[in-house]
Amino acid sequence: MTLTIGVDVGGTKVAGGVVDDTGKVLVQARRDTPADDVGKTRDVIIELVGELAAGRTIESVGIGAAGWIDATRSTVLFAPNLAWRDEPLREYVGTAVGLPVIVENDANVAAWAEFRYGAARDADDSMVMFTIGTGVGGGIVLGGELVRGSHGIAAELGHMLAVPDGHQCGCGRLGCIEQYASGSALVRFARAGARQEPQRGTALLELAGGDAEAITGHMVTAAAQDGDPVSAEAFAQIGRWLGTSLADMAQILDPQILVVGGGVIDAGDLLLGPTRRSYLDALSQRGRLPVAEIVPAELGNSAGVIGAADLARRI
């Protein structure tokens, strides 16, 4: 049995784990992310790897980072929620810990974990995964390998165009799917509904103390689960947009399976119900041809660690 270490670096936390070759996390550790300090963030990663490696024979280290990674899987070109700009992370960490290191985008490592050990483990060729959180991320596997593109920054699924001249996106474009199918979009839809039809959003407004601008994603989920119409409609709206994007992926790539992950997936059928209906409606012209099934991700917060560790095993 070989052991590798996976590290998942986000804007608020650095999580790590020792993972065996069946995808099982044997030991875990975590630290807060000093996101505004490049050197301290690097030191936290090195410290975490050292702690996890102590007394164990570790083959290699995989790091999943929330940012754009170069084609050689060594440099963080840009990280929107961290201070990294052209950061040679693989060299720094590898030199410090004395192990082979690979760096990969965080959505890619989560997608790889689901392909290898999670919701898509029975697929042997292809998968597309959308991660629905504050934004929309994604990962694509074709021919049993991650699709990374010529510059290493492929599969930015959240930045496909959904609405020409639509809502401003953080990437600079107008109308990206991230602005219509993310957790942030869910809150925006719910707030608008509560302002426009407060009598239909009484449960939601009660949770928010009567202030529509105080509505959060957790409140929308809780109210929708209790039957609040405004909250349910907010989920229906992001589900409709997500379903059409998944249909686009089915038309373009014809994957074996489509996976939906991220924090918003905790809402279950509140999201997946309208997503599947929208998906099938968009593909109705395909008639009797087979299409990929939409399934929820299974590995949750462990996906980043597991995926990074498994990619490290493939160095």
Side-chain angles (χ1 to χ4, degrees), residues 244-281:
T244 60
S245 290
L246 289 164
D248 287 344
M249 291 294 100
Q251 296 278 28
I252 296 166
L253 300 175
D254 189 25
Q256 288 175 289
I257 194 165
L258 295 162
V259 179
V260 179
V264 180
I265 198 63
D266 292 342
D269 281 342
L270 287 169
L271 174 62
L272 290 178
T275 297
R276 288 174 173 138
R277 288 191 291 274
S278 172
Y279 171 72
L280 292 174
D281 286 346

Side-chain angles (χ1 to χ4, degrees), residues 285-297:
Q285 75 278 17
R286 292 192 64 165
R288 298 176 182 174
L289 298 178
V291 295
E293 181 185 1
I294 298 172
V295 300

Side-chain angles (χ1 to χ4, degrees), residues 5-297:
I5 290 174
V7 182
D8 184 11
V9 185
T12 60
K13 67 175 176 65
V14 179
V18 177
V19 182
D20 69 16
D21 48 18
T22 69
K24 182 178 180 181
V25 181
L26 305 178
V27 184
Q28 300 181 67
R30 63 177 291 168
R31 300 282 192 281
D32 292 334
T33 304
D36 58 351
D37 190 310
V38 172
K40 287 183 179 178
T41 300
R42 184 194 311 146
D43 291 343
V44 164
I45 295 169
I46 292 167
E47 176 187 314
L48 192 68
V49 171
E51 175 187 330
L52 292 167
R56 300 180 179 90
T57 300
I58 303 296
E59 300 287 327
S60 53
V61 178
I63 301 173
W68 287 272
I69 314 301
D70 76 332
T72 66
R73 292 175 165 173
S74 61
T75 301
V76 183
L77 301 172
F78 177 78
N81 298 312
L82 296 161
W84 286 332
R85 304 292 184 270
D86 295 316
E87 172 74 4
L89 190 61
R90 185 176 72 183
E91 178 183 351
Y92 279 127
V93 176
T95 299
V97 303
L99 290 167
V101 174
I102 190 172
V103 183
E104 183 56 89
N105 171 266
D106 61 336
N108 278 352
V109 299
W112 184 252
E114 293 292 344
F115 180 71
R116 291 277 287 138
Y117 303 110
R121 60 187 174 274
D122 292 332
D124 57 4
D125 175 73
S126 54
M127 175 202 77
V128 175
M129 177 171 167
F130 277 73
T131 54
I132 312 300
T134 303
V136 174
I140 298 171
V141 176
L142 291 177
E145 299 290 340
L146 276 170
V147 173
R148 305 190 68 255
S150 59
H151 303 100
I153 53 176
E156 288 291 335
L157 303 182
H159 300 293
M160 297 187 297
L161 182 65
V163 180
D165 299 320
H167 288 288
Q168 177 78 49
C169 184
C171 75
R173 299 183 73 193
L174 299 177
C176 291
I177 191 64
E178 180 167 291
Q179 298 305 307
Y180 297 88
S182 63
S184 298
L186 175 74
V187 171
R188 190 180 74 245
F189 289 139
R191 288 174 177 174
R195 287 193 300 268
Q196 293 163 10
E197 298 183 276
Q199 72 282 2
R200 298 182 69 244
T202 53
L204 179 59
L205 284 168
E206 184 177 344
L207 290 174
D211 181 5
E213 295 308 307
I215 290 170
T216 66
H218 290 300
M219 292 176 188
V220 181
T221 300
Q225 290 170 337
D226 285 340
D228 180 80
V230 163
S231 301
E233 176 57 25
F235 273 107
Q237 289 187 73
I238 69 168
R240 283 194 293 269
W241 287 111
L242 178 58
T244 60
S245 290
L246 289 164
D248 287 344
M249 291 294 100
Q251 296 278 28
I252 296 166
L253 300 175
D254 189 25
Q256 288 175 289
I257 194 165
L258 295 162
V259 179
V260 179
V264 180
I265 198 63
D266 292 342
D269 281 342
L270 287 169
L271 174 62
L272 290 178
T275 297
R276 288 174 173 138
R277 288 191 291 274
S278 172
Y279 171 72
L280 292 174
D281 286 346
L283 294 174
S284 60
Q285 75 278 17
R286 292 192 64 165
R288 298 176 182 174
L289 298 178
V291 295
E293 181 185 1
I294 298 172
V295 300

